[in-house]
Amino acid sequence: MQDPFDQKKQAILNEITLNSEDNLDASPKGTIDEHCIPIINLINSDPNMVTTSSCSGRVSVFLEGKKQENDTKIIAKGNEGRWLFVTHDTSDLNNWYTKVDFKYHENQFPPQDNNHRSISFKFEPLILHVKCRDLDQATKLYTCAMNNGFRESGIGSNFNVAIRISIKLDIPIGYYENDTEELISFVSESYLDYVTKLSFERFNENFKKLDQLYKSIECLIKSSSSESSSSGITKKESKEERRQRKIREGLQRQQETKKLKEQQEAQKELEQ
């Protein structure tokens, strides 16, 4: 009978393999962030770990939902709450506000009533959720994350490790007028340029930390492999490990094909 962890890992890897623009997952983006693919493949190469969710970092502009009566939550996400803009790539950031139908009423703040809903500019950094085989593996991964500055990390139930870092932004920039159905910005475009600059800086720090974490986890995996070898265990690739490797390689080829297609389309546009 297959080990419960191995069964869970196999099911997750099957989902990762099938994920594409034609088969979206439940996340707002719908597909795995390209920046996360190398570290996902690395973690999933270890027989004692598997990634369950990830986000490489993103900028979003969020319109909060309508609050229900007696709702004590600070921000309502449901009930018509939605993203006005979201990207995981810095190439989409310049002048992002031209893609949102803002009316600019500088320093005109909404009255405190239920007829207005807040709009926030957010930068949210890398987050990884990793399921580990046991507490020993979870502790090793948690320690690795903490040593690399991911101070918001923790170990949850069933040896699930959340890897997080606190370099976020969450800034109110406007509101939605229910009566007129207008998106009002109470800050100027120059201010929006300023917070965009701040998000660029955080993206740079975020990707620097991601690279640092990758190298540290790579060392952790190599160290674990060395310990297994020194204990006299001859590690051969099992049928399941070979299958998982093929899944990782297939995902990598899928991303490479996508990039090649985008390059070919860009070249065609230049030639026209």
Side-chain angles (χ1 to χ4, degrees), residues 138-156:
T139 302
K140 287 178 181 178
L141 181 60
Y142 167 75
T143 302
C144 179
M146 291 292 285
N147 288 343
N148 283 280
F150 289 82
R151 300 295 182 183
E152 305 299 312
S153 301
I155 302 176

Side-chain angles (χ1 to χ4, degrees), residues 54-68:
S54 64
C55 177
S56 63
R58 71 183 181 190
V59 162
S60 64
V61 179
F62 185 74
L63 168 62
E64 71 172 19
K66 294 179 180 178
K67 289 187 178 181
Q68 302 295 327

Side-chain angles (χ1 to χ4, degrees), residues 102-120:
F102 277 135
K103 306 294 183 185
Y104 291 92
H105 297 166
E106 291 181 41
N107 300 318
Q108 179 179 311
F109 304 106
Q112 297 301 308
D113 58 40
N114 292 328
N115 209 36
H116 305 82
R117 292 184 279 146
S118 294
I119 299 172
S120 297

Side-chain angles (χ1 to χ4, degrees), residues 46-57:
D46 188 286
N48 298 312
M49 298 187 290
V50 64
T51 54
T52 57
S53 65
S54 64
C55 177
S56 63

Side-chain angles (χ1 to χ4, degrees), residues 111 115-117 175-184:
N115 209 36
H116 305 82
R117 292 184 279 146
Y175 61 94
Y176 178 78
E177 175 69 69
N178 285 337
D179 290 340
T180 63
E181 298 186 348
E182 290 182 328
L183 301 171
I184 308 297

Side-chain angles (χ1 to χ4, degrees), residues 88-248:
H88 298 74
D89 197 323
T90 55
S91 64
D92 297 327
L93 275 180
N94 285 324
N95 301 320
W96 62 266
Y97 44 81
T98 61
K99 302 172 185 176
V100 181
D101 188 21
F102 277 135
K103 306 294 183 185
Y104 291 92
H105 297 166
E106 291 181 41
N107 300 318
Q108 179 179 311
F109 304 106
Q112 297 301 308
D113 58 40
N114 292 328
N115 209 36
H116 305 82
R117 292 184 279 146
S118 294
I119 299 172
S120 297
F121 178 96
K122 299 171 180 285
F123 172 81
E124 296 164 291
L126 169 76
I127 183 167
L128 278 170
H129 288 105
V130 183
K131 182 174 179 62
C132 296
R133 186 181 295 275
D134 51 35
L135 181 59
D136 179 60
Q137 184 64 41
T139 302
K140 287 178 181 178
L141 181 60
Y142 167 75
T143 302
C144 179
M146 291 292 285
N147 288 343
N148 283 280
F150 289 82
R151 300 295 182 183
E152 305 299 312
S153 301
I155 302 176
S157 59
N158 298 317
F159 317 125
N160 287 297
V161 180
I163 300 176
R164 295 179 293 228
I165 191 169
S166 182
I167 53 173
K168 65 181 181 179
L169 282 175
D170 194 343
I171 305 169
I173 59 171
Y175 61 94
Y176 178 78
E177 175 69 69
N178 285 337
D179 290 340
T180 63
E181 298 186 348
E182 290 182 328
L183 301 171
I184 308 297
S185 173
F186 50 61
V187 297
S188 65
E189 288 188 352
S190 61
Y191 182 84
L192 295 178
D193 281 331
Y194 172 68
V195 296
T196 302
K197 177 178 178 293
L198 295 181
S199 67
F200 269 115
E201 293 171 354
R202 279 162 174 74
F203 257 125
N204 289 336
E205 178 65 14
N206 182 72
F207 291 140
K208 177 182 173 183
K209 286 293 184 182
L210 173 58
D211 184 57
Q212 189 177 321
L213 181 66
Y214 179 97
K215 292 174 181 175
S216 187
I217 293 176
E218 188 175 40
C219 289
L220 173 64
I221 292 173
K222 286 179 179 177
S223 175
S224 298
S225 298
S226 297
E227 288 175 9
S228 297
S229 298
S230 62
S231 64
I233 299 173
T234 302
K235 186 161 179 65
K236 293 183 179 180
E237 188 178 50
S238 66
K239 183 183 291 186
E240 177 59 25
E241 287 170 338
R242 181 178 182 277
R243 183 176 177 280
Q244 291 174 8
R245 175 171 59 80
K246 292 292 185 181
I247 288 173
R248 293 194 303 273

